[in-house]
């Protein structure tokens, strides 16, 4: 049974989630999510923009696991940053997932390209609807993704409910000090997207040496690092053996020295800047 962490609203979240980005809608997303749940994952991460909510929802339903034992996250995409559009977006996600509620609903991106001159206002409006969705029982917790400190500070000016989670890119060699420190200070849990660096860590010499040292795989070392840093990693795979491998790391105890080596691993992909991305 995967351990849970407590969010700032008192609700719990499993400290490992199953990622579904780029799992193709249909058999691939369905079967991989079903396998993940059968293998013991209880936390599934999807998003409207992944276009696989229907398959993910079908897997959730057919898994036979009671709904209240699963933690399901989806995200509101950049085309839905207003009170009304957020309402429509959530209704659409719930319908595609075939669920009455999601456990966590995130604003996927703080500063969509089309709204660059008014993101402060549109995030506040979107959040106002998300707070109402909590009151209506359509979502249990609300949070954000790819928010940097200035986006979080701006949101706090109007929010009645504090973000429970910030989901950001965190992988070996990809450590976002400023926003991590801010979230820890504010008791906002941090989820790590692309915790395996979208594959780029597997050929890394240092990671291979650490895997050898601890007699584990590179993926397991990266995930152990993520959890020891206090993050909730969301590894993705569509292969059953890897899905299983990516759960089997909680017995690893990395030394502080190795944690620092992984944190500062050179040569990894740069951190995306949400204020200048082309979407
Ligand atoms: P990831 O870091 O989880 O890497 C996934 C890739 O690593 C797989 O496609 C596979 O090729 C490889 N892999 C997985 N397990 C392996 C293993 N044990 N051995 C060898 N190779 C293995 O990348 P990701 O999918 O980008 O991120 C994980 C999840 O984070 C996503 O699925 C999604 O749920 C979430 N995410 C969120 C955002 C966001 O903006 N909020 C962005 C990207 C991803």
């Amino acid at each position: 049974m995967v351990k849970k962490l407590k969010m700032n609203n008192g609700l719990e979240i499993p400290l490992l989630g199953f990622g579904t980005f780029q799992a193709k809608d249909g058999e691939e997303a369905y079967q991989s999510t079903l396998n993940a749940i059968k293998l013991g994952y209880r936390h599934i991460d999807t998003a409207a923009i992944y276009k696989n909510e229907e398959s993910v929802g079908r897997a959730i339903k057919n898994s036979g696991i009671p709904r209240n034992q699963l933690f399901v996250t989806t995200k509101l995409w950049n085309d839905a940053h207003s009170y009304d559009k957020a309402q429509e977006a959530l209704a659409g996600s719930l319908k595609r997932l075939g669920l009455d509620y999601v456990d966590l609903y995130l604003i996927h991106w703080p500063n969509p390209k089309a709204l660059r001159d008014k993101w402060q206002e549109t995030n506040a409006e979107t959040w106002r609807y998300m707070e109402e969705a909590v009151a209506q029982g359509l979502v249990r917790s609300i949070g954000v993704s790819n928010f940097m400190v200035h986006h979080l500070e701006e949101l706090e000016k109007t929010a009645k409910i504090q973000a429970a989670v910030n989901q950001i890119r965190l992988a070996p060699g990809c450590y976002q000090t400023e926003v991590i420190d801010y979230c820890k200070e504010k008791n906002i849990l941090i989820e790590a997207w692309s915790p395996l660096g979208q594959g780029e860590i597997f050929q890394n010499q240092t990671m291979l040496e650490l895997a050898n040292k601890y007699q584990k795989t590179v993926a397991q070392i990266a995930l152990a690092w993520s959890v020891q840093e206090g993050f909730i990693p969301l590894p993705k795979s569509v292969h059953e053996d890897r899905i299983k491998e990516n759960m089997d790391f909680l017995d690893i105890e990395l030394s502080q020295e190795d944690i620092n080596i992984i944190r500062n691993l050179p040569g990894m992909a740069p951190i995306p800047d949400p204020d200048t991305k082309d979407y």
Side-chain angles (χ1 to χ4, degrees):
M1 189 64 138
V2 171
K3 213 180 109 187
K4 291 178 180 172
L5 300 177
K6 204 165 251 191
M7 294 182 279
N8 57 23
N9 58 8
L11 298 175
E12 290 186 323
I13 180 169
L15 70 55
L16 170 71
F18 179 66
T20 65
F21 177 45
Q22 289 173 330
K24 286 187 217 72
D25 199 25
E27 194 52 22
E28 187 172 271
Y30 172 72
Q31 202 54 55
S32 56
T33 306
L34 190 63
N35 284 341
I37 298 173
K38 291 216 159 121
L39 288 165
Y41 288 77
R42 291 293 176 264
H43 171 179
I44 313 291
D45 184 84
T46 183
I49 193 66
Y50 300 169
K51 308 237 180 283
N52 59 16
E53 288 173 308
E54 231 171 274
S55 311
V56 168
R58 207 154 41 85
I60 289 168
K61 183 162 176 241
N62 292 347
S63 71
I65 301 295
R67 174 67 186 92
N68 63 8
Q69 289 177 30
L70 292 171
F71 188 100
V72 182
T73 302
T74 194
K75 314 183 193 88
L76 170 140
W77 186 237
N78 292 0
D79 56 2
H81 281 225
S82 77
Y83 182 94
D84 291 342
K85 288 186 197 158
Q87 186 167 10
E88 257 173 60
L90 176 60
S93 282
L94 289 173
K95 187 160 182 237
R96 287 186 293 276
L97 284 161
L99 298 175
D100 301 329
Y101 70 91
V102 286
D103 296 275
L104 182 61
Y105 197 43
L106 305 178
I107 299 183
H108 205 143
W109 198 256
N111 191 351
K113 193 179 176 198
L115 305 171
R116 270 207 181 139
D117 53 343
K118 52 179 174 189
W119 60 266
Q120 295 88 338
E121 187 185 317
T122 51
N123 282 344
E125 277 300 287
T126 306
W127 196 255
R128 191 163 65 82
Y129 172 68
M130 287 165 66
E131 291 174 329
E132 217 165 281
V134 174
Q136 290 170 5
L138 299 174
V139 308
R140 295 272 152 96
S141 301
I142 51 179
V144 294
S145 180
N146 298 299
F147 273 47
M148 300 296 108
V149 172
H150 58 289
H151 305 118
L152 289 165
E153 283 175 340
E154 195 59 42
L155 189 66
E156 278 163 20
K157 290 182 186 165
T158 52
K160 294 193 181 73
I161 300 179
Q162 192 194 12
V165 159
N166 188 13
Q167 183 181 124
I168 55 179
R169 181 172 178 128
L170 295 166
C174 176
Y175 187 88
Q176 308 200 44
T177 311
E178 203 192 341
V179 66
I180 290 169
D181 290 351
Y182 183 88
C183 289
K184 287 191 173 172
E185 187 198 317
K186 296 271 178 175
N187 199 19
I188 298 169
L189 286 181
I190 302 163
E191 293 187 335
W193 65 254
S194 300
L196 308 174
Q198 288 184 324
E200 72 173 347
I201 58 171
F202 293 107
Q203 304 312 320
N204 182 279
Q205 199 50 41
T206 307
M207 290 301 289
L208 288 164
E209 282 164 19
L210 286 167
N212 190 40
K213 174 174 169 182
Y214 288 90
Q215 289 294 292
K216 287 283 185 174
T217 68
V218 166
Q220 290 165 338
I221 296 296
L223 295 168
W225 170 78
S226 194
V227 165
Q228 280 186 246
E229 290 279 16
F231 311 147
I232 299 170
L234 308 167
K236 177 250 176 179
S237 175
V238 295
H239 303 289
E240 192 171 350
D241 52 340
R242 288 177 173 175
I243 295 172
K244 190 161 189 275
E245 176 188 330
N246 295 347
M247 285 194 80
D248 180 21
F249 64 88
L250 290 163
D251 57 329
I252 304 174
E253 217 175 300
L254 300 169
S255 69
Q256 191 56 50
E257 193 190 346
D258 290 336
I259 290 174
N260 292 340
I261 289 172
I262 299 171
R263 187 188 284 192
N264 298 306
L265 204 67
M268 295 293 117
I271 295 153
D273 175 2
D275 292 323
T276 55
K277 267 273 179 195
D278 197 25
Y279 47 76

